[in-house]
Amino acid sequence: MSSQFLKKKKPRGLMLTSLLDMFTIILIFLIVSFEAEDQDFQLDPDVTLPDSAARSVFTPAVSVTVNPQRLIVEGEPLMELEDGRFSADVYSEGEIETLVTRLEEIFSSGNYGRGGEEAVVMIQADKDMDYQTLYLVMRSSSMAGFSRYRLAIMKN
Amino acid sequence: MFGKKRRFHSSSEPDDLNVIPVMNLFMVLIPFLLLGAAFYQVGVIPTSTATHDPSASDIPETPTTVAANLVIEPDAITVTFASTSLSEEELAEIAGRFPHESGEDFNLEGLQRHLRDIKEKYPQSTTMTVLPHDGLDYQSLVEVLDACREYPVDPENPEAGHEELFPVTVFSKLLRAEVEVADTPDEN
């Protein structure tokens, strides 16, 4: 008699409701954190950005990265550093010649200045970098025509 | 006839909703969104460096505006102001010096309080020239900038928003001969 009852029962389907709930939550979270705009920003793995409460919106610019090992412009390594410092003669010269030359090339190849794009450099520097090195990078950028900077920070 | 129908309906179980196509859609959407998700928030601090223009002055020409100069020394932060409408005595009065609180910690609260007072008196002031010493690390510099650029309206409630202090930051290099501001009184 009991076997008769069993035959009538349909095999139970897999319970997917809770899995669907979980996926819905993940989907909502991902949609919220989705960056619709392609900002083409590559955070250098050797750089630890400083934490900041600044709320200015990230906008792309010519990328200059200074990590403890090297100076990188637009993803292209330009110069070696030792423990986050350039060689002493660079500081005494007051400018980084290779950086000035490279940025001048970028400046002349782009449409910067009057009526064109704003000449801005986006600086990714390690949080332990000293101001002397940072200022040298800014000063060299300024010599090449980029006198405005965006200091990349990690929002806290 | 109706009786038969009712009997037929009551004996059949309601079908489960087929969620497998929805699951398939989710399985496609989630990897796509994972690729574009930002798990860290990168922001920027807009700044510039001083440019030499012999015909121009850094002193603002409007009488209701002052330009701040922030000298960050290894043991203290000194803030001075420049204006066309204020006398040297008045400018000396609104200047301030903030020695480190303990060890190497900046007195950022005192500095921010002082800048808020100045901002209340001269609300149109926005520009601050920052002159750090060579050895100052980038993280400490950013902390000082955070304190000087804006302040939270209600520190207990982050959603209350922020008020601007001196958001236009200009970096310059400290030359020892320029530091004649040590006479300004200490503030705590």
Side-chain angles (χ1 to χ4, degrees):
Chain A
M1 196 171 170
S2 61
S3 63
Q4 228 174 6
F5 276 113
L6 280 174
K7 268 182 192 169
K8 276 185 182 174
K9 266 193 178 173
K10 276 172 66 179
R12 289 194 67 84
L14 202 62
M15 277 294 288
L16 293 173
T17 316
S18 49
L19 195 64
L20 198 70
D21 290 347
M22 192 183 75
F23 273 14
T24 310
I25 292 165
I26 293 173
L27 197 71
I28 291 166
F29 169 76
L30 289 174
I31 288 171
V32 168
S33 59
F34 183 71
E35 299 285 331
E37 198 181 335
D38 178 20
Q39 293 176 333
D40 197 22
F41 176 76
Q42 289 286 317
L43 181 63
D44 189 285
D46 297 326
V47 166
T48 311
L49 294 179
D51 295 324
S52 169
R55 292 168 299 111
S56 297
V57 184
F58 179 90
T59 38
V62 175
S63 166
V64 175
T65 303
V66 202
N67 70 35
Q69 286 86 41
R70 56 187 66 86
L71 171 70
I72 303 163
V73 177
E74 294 284 78
E76 178 191 317
L78 211 66
M79 212 171 163
E80 296 292 316
L81 278 86
E82 201 171 313
D83 291 333
R85 299 274 300 168
F86 294 105
S87 55
D89 54 316
V90 175
Y91 293 100
S92 55
E93 279 171 22
E95 65 172 63
I96 310 162
E97 232 178 271
T98 47
L99 178 62
V100 176
T101 312
R102 181 73 189 100
L103 287 178
E104 275 174 349
E105 284 170 15
I106 293 171
F107 191 89
S108 55
S109 64
N111 180 26
Y112 295 106
R114 286 175 192 170
E117 268 183 78
E118 198 183 8
V120 185
V121 161
M122 223 270 298
I123 299 175
Q124 278 186 59
D126 195 85
K127 66 177 186 175
D128 295 324
M129 189 75 51
D130 59 71
Y131 179 71
Q132 193 181 19
T133 307
L134 186 70
Y135 185 74
L136 199 61
V137 172
M138 290 195 279
R139 189 177 143 81
S140 305
S141 309
S142 171
M143 286 169 144
F146 294 87
S147 57
R148 298 180 75 82
Y149 322 99
R150 294 188 185 124
L151 305 179
I153 50 93
M154 200 63 80
K155 287 183 185 175
N156 57 20
Chain B
M1 188 179 158
F2 285 112
K4 266 187 183 178
K5 244 188 183 175
R6 207 176 295 131
R7 206 166 53 219
F8 176 74
H9 274 291
S10 62
S11 65
S12 69
E13 286 178 26
D15 282 342
D16 284 340
L17 197 64
N18 187 8
V19 290
I20 292 170
V22 184
M23 292 284 288
N24 288 339
L25 182 73
F26 277 16
M27 291 300 282
V28 173
L29 275 176
I30 287 174
F32 170 73
L33 289 172
L34 269 173
L35 290 175
F39 295 105
Y40 51 81
Q41 289 272 309
V42 176
V44 291
I45 300 178
T47 62
S48 60
T49 45
T51 47
H52 179 63
D53 183 355
S55 61
S57 167
D58 65 331
I59 302 171
E61 288 179 4
T62 50
T64 53
T65 314
V66 291
N69 293 305
L70 196 79
V71 180
I72 308 172
E73 295 168 276
D75 57 344
I77 296 177
T78 307
V79 60
T80 56
F81 296 90
S83 170
T84 48
S85 56
L86 299 176
S87 67
E88 284 201 13
E89 289 77 26
E90 286 171 311
L91 289 172
E93 257 177 46
I94 59 172
R97 190 164 195 273
F98 304 88
H100 287 338
E101 275 184 326
S102 57
E104 292 182 354
D105 290 340
F106 289 119
N107 180 7
L108 294 178
E109 274 183 31
L111 173 67
Q112 194 176 64
R113 219 169 24 240
H114 186 77
L115 291 176
R116 282 175 67 171
D117 291 344
I118 303 300
K119 185 76 178 181
E120 271 173 30
K121 277 186 197 168
Y122 309 99
Q124 288 174 356
S125 309
T126 54
T127 307
M128 181 177 66
T129 306
V130 185
L131 303 115
H133 67 91
D134 281 348
L136 184 73
D137 63 284
Y138 188 27
Q139 177 67 62
S140 303
L141 176 63
V142 167
E143 282 167 18
V144 174
L145 292 185
D146 281 351
C148 299
R149 293 178 76 244
E150 58 187 20
Y151 66 93
V153 175
D154 179 7
E156 303 296 315
N157 176 20
E159 287 181 12
H162 290 72
E163 285 286 333
E164 277 190 349
L165 282 172
F166 292 84
V168 180
T169 313
V170 180
F171 282 115
S172 193
K173 189 103 166 119
L174 179 66
L175 300 173
R176 298 314 305 175
E178 288 178 1
V179 187
E180 294 293 334
V181 289
D183 297 337
T184 50
D186 283 5
E187 296 202 13
N188 290 309

